Amino acid sequence: MEKRVAVIGAGISGLLACKNIMEKGFNPIVFEARSGIGGVWSRTIESTKLQTPKSFYQFSDFAWPPSVTETFPDDKQVMEYIKAYAIHFNILPRIRFNCKVTCIDYVLHGNEDFPSWDLWGGTGWPFSPTGRWNVTVQDARDPTAPVEVYQLDFVILCIGKYSDLPNIPDFPLNRGPEVFNGKVLHSMDYAAMANDCAADLVANKRVTIIGFQKSAVDIAAAVANRNGVDHPCTLIFRTVHWIVPDYFLALTLKSLNRFTEFMVHKPGQGFFIWLLAVLLSPLLWIFIKLGEAYLKRKQPLKKYNMVPEHGFLKQLSSCIFTVLPANFYDRVEEGSLVLKKSQSFNFCKNGLVIDSEETPIATDIVIFATGYKSDEKLKNIFKSSYFQKCITESLAPFYRECIHPQIPQLAILGFADSPAILYTTEMRSKWLAHFLAGKFKLPTIREMEDDVKKWEKCMKYYANERYKRSCISALLPIYCNDQICKDMGFNPRRKKWLLAELFAPYCPDDYKYLCWQM
C-alpha cells in the first residue's frame, strides 16, 4: 500500500522536501496557506537582497541562470529562481494552495503506548503499522467553509520560523501602543505591503524602528534613504550586534573549511580531536580578533558607541547574521538615521519614552522588527498537549536538526538557523528522503537524545547565554554534512584533492550528485 506523505508549507523547505521525496517514488501532498510559493521571499521589503553569496545559496542540482550576475541577488531575482526550480521539477501540481493546516493530531490504533517506546515510532523506521497523523485543513479564503481531515503516514513540517506569529513586547498598563496616537505595526505587516503602499505609508513621516537585526536595519536604512534629514528615522535597540559588509560575510563563509573546523570543539569528540582543537584555538582567536579590528577600522563604531560587548565568534555561533545596508553610517552621519540604545521604553500619546532620556521621541509610526514566536508557532500546530510540551520543553536541538526523538512519523525542516539556510535545508531534505525510502534506520530514542544533548553542550561552550536550540551548525557545517552523508552510506569527502579537502570551502555544488547515489 502506498504511503501517504504530507508537506506543510511551500516555502524553500517545502519545495526541497517535496522534490527529494518525489525522487524516491512518493506522491506527496503539499499544503500551502497562501496563494503562491516562496515563503518569506514572497513578502519582503523593497530593498531586500541575499546576504549570503549565491554560490552558497543555490540548489545543488539547479544552478542560478546566467542572467543573474550579481553575487547577492535581490528579492525579485530570488523569487524567479525559486519559481523556476518548482517548475523544472514539476512540484507545482503537488501543491494545494490556500489550504491552511490548523492542527495535526497523532492517532495510534490498538493498545500501544508510544511515550514508552525505545525506538522512534516503535520501530526506528519512518512508517508505523498502527500510527497515523490526522491533518486538519481549512480553506484560507473562506473560514466558514467546512474543514477537511487527511489521514497520513508521515508529515513534514516546513512552516518556517520567520512568519505568521510576530513577537511584540509586553508593556505596563497605559504605557503600551493603546495610548499612542500614531500607527503601530510589525515588520511582518510592513513587508506584506506592496512596495508603493509601504513607501506611501512612511513618506514624510517620523518613523521609529524597534530592533537591531536584519529586518530592523534594512527597514531603517530604507526609510532614512526615502525621508532624509527632514523626517529622520529613529532606530531603538537593546543590544548592539556586529553588522558586517556583505563581502565580509562572504569571506567568513568561504573560510569555513575542514581546517578551520579543526579549531572548533565537536560533540562527542575523542581525546585527539579535543587536543587538536585546544592547540589550534589561539589561531581561531587571532582570526576573530583580526576580523573585529577590521570592522572597527572600516566602520565608525566607536564614534557612535556601536562596538558590541560580545565577540564576533559568539555572535556567529548564535546564528546572528546581519549585513550592513549600503550607506548605513552615511545616513547616521547626515542625521537622517538616529541610533538610540535603550534597555526599555514605553509609549506616550505622541511617541516613545526611553529610559535614558527625559524628552519623548516624537514619532508618527512605530515598526516592531522584534522577531517571531517561532517555538510557539511550532507548538500550536499540534493538537496533543504531550507534543506541545515536547516542543516547548526541548532546549536541546533536534536530531540531525529535523527529528524530535519523542514525536513519531514527523520531521521538521527549515527550523534550523544557518548563514546559508537553503544549503542547510537541502542537505537535511536529502537525508530525510533517504530515510523515508527505507535506506537506513534511526538510532534508539535514548541514543538520539544523548546525541542532541552533546550538541547542546558543545554549542553552549561557544554561544553561552546566546545559545539557541535552532542553531548548531553555524561553526561546523561540514562536520554536520559529514554525519548526514555517513547516515546515508555515502562518502563525506567530496573533493578530488587533499589540499582542496582541507582548505577549500564546501558549497552546494559539492553535493550535486549525492541524491543520484543509491
Side-chain angles (χ1 to χ4, degrees):
M1 182 177 177
E2 181 180 344
K3 299 299 182 181
R4 302 194 72 198
V5 180
V7 178
I8 302 176
I12 285 177
S13 302
L15 298 177
L16 283 165
C18 181
K19 180 261 182 186
N20 281 286
I21 63 177
M22 281 170 58
E23 288 184 341
K24 297 300 181 184
F26 294 96
N27 295 302
I29 307 170
V30 183
F31 297 111
E32 170 53 49
R34 298 175 183 172
S35 58
I37 64 173
V40 294
W41 284 108
S42 64
R43 296 185 177 187
T44 62
I45 66 173
E46 188 175 6
S47 60
T48 300
K49 67 174 185 176
L50 274 182
Q51 59 179 16
T52 305
K54 67 180 181 183
S55 59
F56 285 87
Y57 198 97
Q58 71 171 13
F59 302 102
S60 63
D61 50 4
F62 191 74
W64 284 88
S67 59
V68 180
T69 58
E70 298 85 351
T71 303
F72 303 94
D74 63 31
D75 62 324
K76 295 181 178 60
Q77 292 170 311
V78 174
M79 268 305 302
E80 288 303 315
Y81 178 54
I82 294 170
K83 289 177 182 177
Y85 176 84
I87 293 170
H88 180 78
F89 290 106
N90 200 32
I91 299 172
L92 295 178
R94 303 286 180 183
I95 305 174
R96 301 189 181 185
F97 292 106
N98 301 302
C99 289
K100 180 178 176 59
V101 174
T102 57
C103 77
I104 60 175
D105 188 30
Y106 190 66
V107 178
L108 191 61
H109 303 290
N111 297 318
E112 292 187 79
D113 184 15
F114 72 85
S116 64
W117 284 340
D118 294 323
L119 292 171
W120 192 78
T123 63
W125 296 103
F127 303 106
S128 165
T130 56
R132 299 289 186 277
W133 283 99
N134 285 342
V135 176
T136 303
V137 179
Q138 174 73 56
D139 188 334
R141 297 162 298 184
D142 182 10
T144 63
V147 300
E148 295 182 81
V149 178
Y150 295 80
Q151 192 167 82
L152 299 145
D153 298 290
F154 201 96
V155 171
I156 306 173
L157 289 179
C158 303
I159 58 178
K161 291 187 65 181
Y162 305 108
S163 61
D164 298 330
L165 197 59
N167 179 42
I168 303 290
D170 294 323
F171 295 91
L173 184 64
N174 296 324
R175 293 188 180 182
E178 71 277 3
V179 302
F180 178 50
N181 284 342
K183 186 176 181 61
V184 178
L185 67 160
H186 190 269
S187 57
M188 176 185 75
D189 305 307
Y190 184 78
M193 302 172 79
N195 290 337
D196 54 347
C197 293
D200 289 342
L201 174 70
V202 301
N204 300 319
K205 299 289 197 313
R206 297 167 298 180
V207 181
T208 299
I209 316 295
I210 312 297
F212 198 71
Q213 294 195 30
K214 179 173 172 54
S215 294
V217 297
D218 281 355
I219 295 173
V223 173
N225 285 329
R226 180 173 299 278
N227 286 349
V229 296
D230 293 334
H231 299 88
C233 176
T234 302
L235 183 63
I236 298 178
F237 49 91
R238 181 179 298 172
T239 303
V240 180
H241 298 295
W242 297 97
I243 51 176
V244 303
D246 50 19
Y247 64 83
F248 187 91
L249 183 56
L251 183 63
T252 301
L253 288 174
K254 290 178 180 178
S255 69
L256 293 175
N257 51 46
R258 288 195 184 276
F259 178 72
T260 57
E261 288 195 2
F262 286 145
M263 307 176 194
V264 180
H265 290 288
K266 301 171 180 63
Q269 61 191 356
F271 174 76
F272 177 75
I273 299 299
W274 171 85
L275 181 61
L276 189 61
V278 170
L279 294 175
L280 291 176
S281 59
L283 191 57
L284 177 63
W285 183 87
I286 291 171
F287 286 158
I288 293 299
K289 291 304 176 184
L290 286 174
E292 292 176 5
Y294 174 81
L295 292 174
K296 291 175 184 177
R297 185 172 66 84
K298 294 293 289 185
Q299 300 172 2
L301 302 185
K302 291 184 179 179
K303 180 178 179 179
Y304 297 109
N305 194 27
M306 295 294 287
V307 179
E309 295 179 0
H310 56 272
F312 186 68
L313 178 62
K314 182 179 287 189
Q315 183 168 312
L316 184 64
S317 61
S318 306
C319 288
I320 299 175
F321 312 101
T322 302
V323 168
L324 187 73
N327 305 316
F328 182 84
Y329 282 106
D330 291 340
R331 301 288 82 81
V332 177
E333 178 72 27
E334 72 183 14
S336 59
L337 179 56
V338 180
L339 305 176
K340 298 274 189 182
K341 183 179 178 181
S342 177
Q343 292 303 305
S344 65
F345 68 93
N346 295 302
F347 283 85
C348 63
K349 184 177 181 180
N350 297 317
L352 298 170
V353 180
I354 65 175
D355 58 5
S356 58
E357 298 181 8
E358 294 182 2
T359 305
I361 301 171
T363 188
D364 302 305
I365 300 172
V366 175
I367 301 176
F368 283 102
T370 45
Y372 296 83
K373 297 179 180 179
S374 51
D375 273 9
E376 188 172 336
K377 175 186 173 181
L378 186 60
K379 178 201 77 171
N380 290 344
I381 201 168
F382 293 96
K383 183 176 181 179
S384 163
S385 59
Y386 174 79
F387 290 142
Q388 289 181 352
K389 285 182 66 177
C390 286
I391 297 299
T392 56
E393 295 181 2
S394 292
L395 299 179
F398 300 139
Y399 182 72
R400 297 295 187 259
E401 296 187 89
C402 62
I403 295 289
H404 192 293
Q406 295 291 342
I407 305 180
Q409 295 168 248
L410 179 136
I412 302 165
L413 282 177
F415 195 77
D417 282 325
S418 167
I421 189 65
L422 188 155
Y423 176 24
T424 302
T425 303
E426 183 174 36
M427 289 301 296
R428 280 139 193 83
S429 67
K430 292 176 185 288
W431 180 90
L432 180 60
H434 274 69
F435 173 57
L436 289 175
K439 302 296 185 181
F440 63 91
K441 182 180 178 180
L442 291 180
T444 66
I445 292 174
R446 174 67 63 85
E447 289 172 327
M448 288 194 288
E449 290 177 337
D450 288 344
D451 180 82
V452 298
K453 286 176 181 177
K454 289 176 183 177
W455 272 104
E456 179 186 27
K457 180 180 178 181
C458 179
M459 300 322 295
K460 279 184 176 179
Y461 176 81
Y462 291 101
N464 303 125
E465 75 281 355
R466 297 179 183 275
Y467 164 79
K468 295 186 297 182
R469 174 185 61 185
S470 59
C471 179
I472 67 168
S473 60
L475 297 180
L476 295 168
I478 302 174
Y479 181 76
C480 288
N481 289 343
D482 285 354
Q483 291 184 315
I484 287 171
C485 288
K486 289 175 183 177
D487 287 347
M488 294 191 289
F490 301 148
N491 183 6
R493 307 290 187 261
R494 314 300 299 177
K495 305 290 188 182
K496 295 181 179 179
W497 310 105
L498 177 61
L499 287 179
E501 191 67 58
L502 282 174
F503 299 107
Y506 263 72
C507 301
D509 276 345
D510 292 300
Y511 300 95
K512 181 175 182 179
Y513 302 108
L514 188 66
C515 60
W516 296 357
Q517 296 176 256
M518 299 301 293

